[in-house]
């Protein structure tokens, strides 16, 4: 018998922002938390003809209301629901929340159990604190970007996965979970400060320490794990497909050499870096002799650490199942709806949010709040 998702009953308010904060709340939503996204006013939000979804694609299991936080009655509405919320996620640069009269001190004075997660790009106390930036900038100043890329080429940022999502959204969600655990012991909420520079720097702990060892003490692109090593590399096949090789251990290298039809004695001198260019060329020539499918058949079931580089398109065509990040056997998370395996349905401003106000607060439109100026606002007679 399985229990409810582990975060069932946790109320989360997310100020709409770019990808990292929505990803943090998506992780919480997938494990049962109730997420209410606060959007800016949008025509025609909260009407019979709602507008199209916003560009935010990380909206699974979430709801929305639109508020103009520069208007006192809309700000009052947000403060009222924050008084009964568990988590508040804000994605702004330092000072923005305070300018809205939503400082942590103000909010915690009203709701001592509230967890306020502040997710920024740069460190909040560093020289870049008030500057704009994106994933590539956070990677750059963390030192991690300098280690990524090919030999004799500029550093290469792998899309925006590392800083935005791993160092930002994931670390923020981790901080929220730790604060929830602490609250279960102390009864008190707290401020969680996450930034993408520290987050991705922490993720790169192994890389940083490895710089002091033979594994990673050479220039970029000349080390074991960064494209310098023949047996940790991606190779093109005859049909322009690719195979990924990660045969680090001796026994796996032997299986790889055998599968390629090369002398397994190569393993005896593989740590001599002088042999790497010729070995990489030999591997490349071999992989170009067969198609990717043929190489898949050669290495299927063998411990050679050699796998095909699958594309998203072929996985979709094959009906590959997208699953929650972690499987909890006794209290599983929510399933990813089949129709959202490959395409997000998005979330329109105002979609589902008024039901949340009823469930959380017992409110209804026309009594405690009303639609005004493309969003919601407290009514003048509302008693909180």
């Amino acid at each position: 018998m399985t229990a409810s998702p582990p975060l069932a009953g946790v109320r989360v308010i997310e100020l709409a922002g770019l990808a990292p904060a929505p990803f943090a709340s998506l992780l919480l939503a997938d494990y049962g938390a109730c997420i209410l996204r606060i959007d800016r006013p949008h025509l025609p939000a909260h009407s019979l003809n709602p507008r199209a979804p916003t560009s935010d694609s990380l909206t699974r299991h979430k709801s929305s209301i639109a508020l103009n936080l520069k208007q006192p009655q809309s700000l009052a509405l947000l403060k009222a629901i924050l008084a009964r919320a568990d988590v508040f996620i804000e994605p702004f640069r330092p000072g923005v929340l305070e300018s809205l009269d939503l400082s942590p001190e103000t909010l915690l004075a009203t709701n001592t159990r509230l967890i306020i997660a502040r997710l920024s790009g740069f460190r909040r106390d560093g020289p870049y604190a008030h500057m704009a930036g994106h994933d590539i900038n956070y990677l750059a100043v963390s030192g991690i970007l300098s280690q990524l890329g090919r030999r004799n080429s500029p550093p290469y940022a792998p899309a925006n996965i590392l800083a935005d999502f791993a160092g930002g959204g994931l670390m923020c969600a981790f901080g929220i979970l730790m604060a929830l655990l602490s609250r279960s012991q102390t009864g008190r909420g707290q401020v969680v400060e996450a930034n993408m520079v520290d987050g991705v720097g922490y993720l790169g702990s192994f890389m940083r320490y490895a710089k002091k060892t033979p594994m990673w003490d050479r220039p970029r692109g000349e080390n074991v794990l960064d494209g310098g090593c023949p047996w940790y590399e991606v190779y093109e096949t005859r049909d322009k497909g690719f195979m990924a090789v990660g045969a680090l251990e001796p026994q796996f290298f032997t299986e790889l050499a055998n599968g390629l039809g090369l002398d397994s004695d190569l393993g005896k001198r593989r740590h001599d870096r002088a042999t790497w260019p010729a070995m990489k060329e030999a591997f490349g020539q071999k992989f170009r002799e067969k198609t990717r499918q043929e190489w898949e058949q050669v290495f299927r079931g063998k411990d050679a650490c050699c796998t095909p580089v699958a594309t998203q398109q072929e996985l979709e065509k094959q009906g590959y199942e997208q699953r929650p990040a972690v499987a909890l056997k006794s209290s599983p998370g929510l399933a990813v709806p089949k129709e959202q395996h490959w395409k997000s349905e998005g979330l329109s401003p105002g979609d589902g949010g008024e039901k949340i106000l009823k469930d959380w607060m017992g409110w209804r439109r026309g009594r405690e709040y009303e639609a005004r100026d493309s969003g919601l606002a407290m009514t003048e007679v509302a008693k909180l």
Side-chain angles (χ1 to χ4, degrees), residues 349-381:
D351 190 7
E354 293 188 58
K355 182 179 184 304
I356 298 298
L357 296 181
K358 180 180 179 181
D359 293 345
W360 288 10
M361 311 294 290
W363 290 354
R364 69 168 183 260
R365 189 192 289 206
R367 190 175 65 185
E368 287 81 10
Y369 67 91
E370 60 189 2
R372 183 193 305 170
D373 299 328
S374 305
L376 299 182
M378 300 298 300
T379 61
E380 298 295 339
V381 297

Side-chain angles (χ1 to χ4, degrees), residues 178-252:
M178 289 193 293
L180 285 169
L181 179 60
S182 175
R183 193 184 71 174
S184 72
Q185 300 166 344
T186 67
R188 300 188 68 83
Q190 61 181 295
V191 176
V192 174
E193 288 191 352
N195 71 76
M196 296 165 218
V197 173
D198 286 341
V200 77
Y202 192 92
L203 286 170
S205 296
F206 173 80
M207 295 171 63
R208 184 171 65 255
Y209 295 147
K211 288 287 290 181
K212 306 294 185 181
T213 74
M215 174 172 276
W216 219 311
D217 62 354
R218 302 294 181 91
R220 180 177 58 254
E222 298 180 17
N223 301 283
V224 175
L225 299 178
D226 65 359
C229 176
W231 59 90
Y232 203 88
E233 179 62 287
V234 176
Y235 292 96
E236 187 176 11
T237 60
R238 191 177 70 196
D239 59 341
K240 304 299 182 181
F242 297 94
M243 296 292 289
V245 172
L248 293 172
E249 291 79 5
Q251 66 273 27
F252 302 152

Side-chain angles (χ1 to χ4, degrees), residues 20-307:
F23 183 65
S25 66
L26 177 67
L27 287 165
L28 304 179
D30 276 346
Y31 289 90
C34 184
I35 312 294
L36 179 62
R37 188 182 74 188
I38 308 300
D39 282 298
R40 294 178 177 86
H42 284 86
L43 280 172
H46 299 287
S47 73
L48 296 177
N49 300 298
R51 62 160 283 163
T54 67
S55 60
D56 179 10
S57 61
L58 305 176
T59 58
R60 191 166 58 238
H61 309 307
K62 299 183 186 180
S63 300
S64 163
I65 60 173
L67 297 177
N68 182 354
L69 297 182
K70 295 180 180 180
Q71 297 297 324
Q73 294 305 105
S74 293
L75 182 61
L77 189 153
L78 177 58
K79 287 183 175 181
I81 57 178
L82 281 170
R84 299 193 189 180
D86 296 293
V87 179
F88 181 37
I89 301 176
E90 69 98 354
F92 303 135
R93 285 189 244 176
V96 173
L97 206 61
E98 287 78 2
S99 71
L100 295 169
D101 192 29
L102 294 171
S103 70
E105 294 78 14
T106 298
L107 299 180
L108 288 170
T110 303
N111 180 358
T112 60
R113 293 177 56 82
L114 183 63
I115 292 163
I116 303 169
R118 313 194 74 174
L119 178 56
S120 61
F122 295 113
R123 287 180 169 179
R124 304 182 75 85
D125 59 350
Y128 309 104
H130 297 281
M131 292 172 54
H134 283 293
D135 179 286
I136 194 170
N137 307 114
Y138 314 137
L139 272 181
V141 302
S142 74
I144 300 302
L145 183 58
S146 70
Q147 292 184 255
L148 303 176
R150 293 292 182 173
R151 180 174 178 268
N152 295 328
S153 295
Y156 180 79
N160 67 328
I161 294 175
L162 288 182
D164 277 359
F165 294 105
L170 180 60
M171 289 297 188
C172 182
F174 176 57
I176 291 168
L177 294 178
M178 289 193 293
L180 285 169
L181 179 60
S182 175
R183 193 184 71 174
S184 72
Q185 300 166 344
T186 67
R188 300 188 68 83
Q190 61 181 295
V191 176
V192 174
E193 288 191 352
N195 71 76
M196 296 165 218
V197 173
D198 286 341
V200 77
Y202 192 92
L203 286 170
S205 296
F206 173 80
M207 295 171 63
R208 184 171 65 255
Y209 295 147
K211 288 287 290 181
K212 306 294 185 181
T213 74
M215 174 172 276
W216 219 311
D217 62 354
R218 302 294 181 91
R220 180 177 58 254
E222 298 180 17
N223 301 283
V224 175
L225 299 178
D226 65 359
C229 176
W231 59 90
Y232 203 88
E233 179 62 287
V234 176
Y235 292 96
E236 187 176 11
T237 60
R238 191 177 70 196
D239 59 341
K240 304 299 182 181
F242 297 94
M243 296 292 289
V245 172
L248 293 172
E249 291 79 5
Q251 66 273 27
F252 302 152
F253 183 89
T254 298
E255 284 280 8
L256 175 68
N258 289 339
L260 290 173
L262 295 171
D263 187 353
S264 59
D265 284 346
L266 283 173
K268 296 179 181 178
R269 56 185 185 276
R270 70 184 187 130
H271 289 296
D272 179 358
R273 291 174 183 260
T275 69
W276 284 11
M279 191 182 298
K280 184 177 284 193
E281 180 61 28
F283 284 5
Q285 289 180 358
K286 278 294 183 179
F287 274 110
R288 287 191 292 271
E289 291 177 0
K290 299 180 187 295
T291 65
R292 197 195 80 177
Q293 185 176 21
E294 289 171 334
W295 285 120
E296 287 183 62
Q297 294 172 350
V298 168
F299 289 109
R300 184 171 291 128
K302 294 182 180 178
D303 286 341
C305 299
C306 185
T307 55

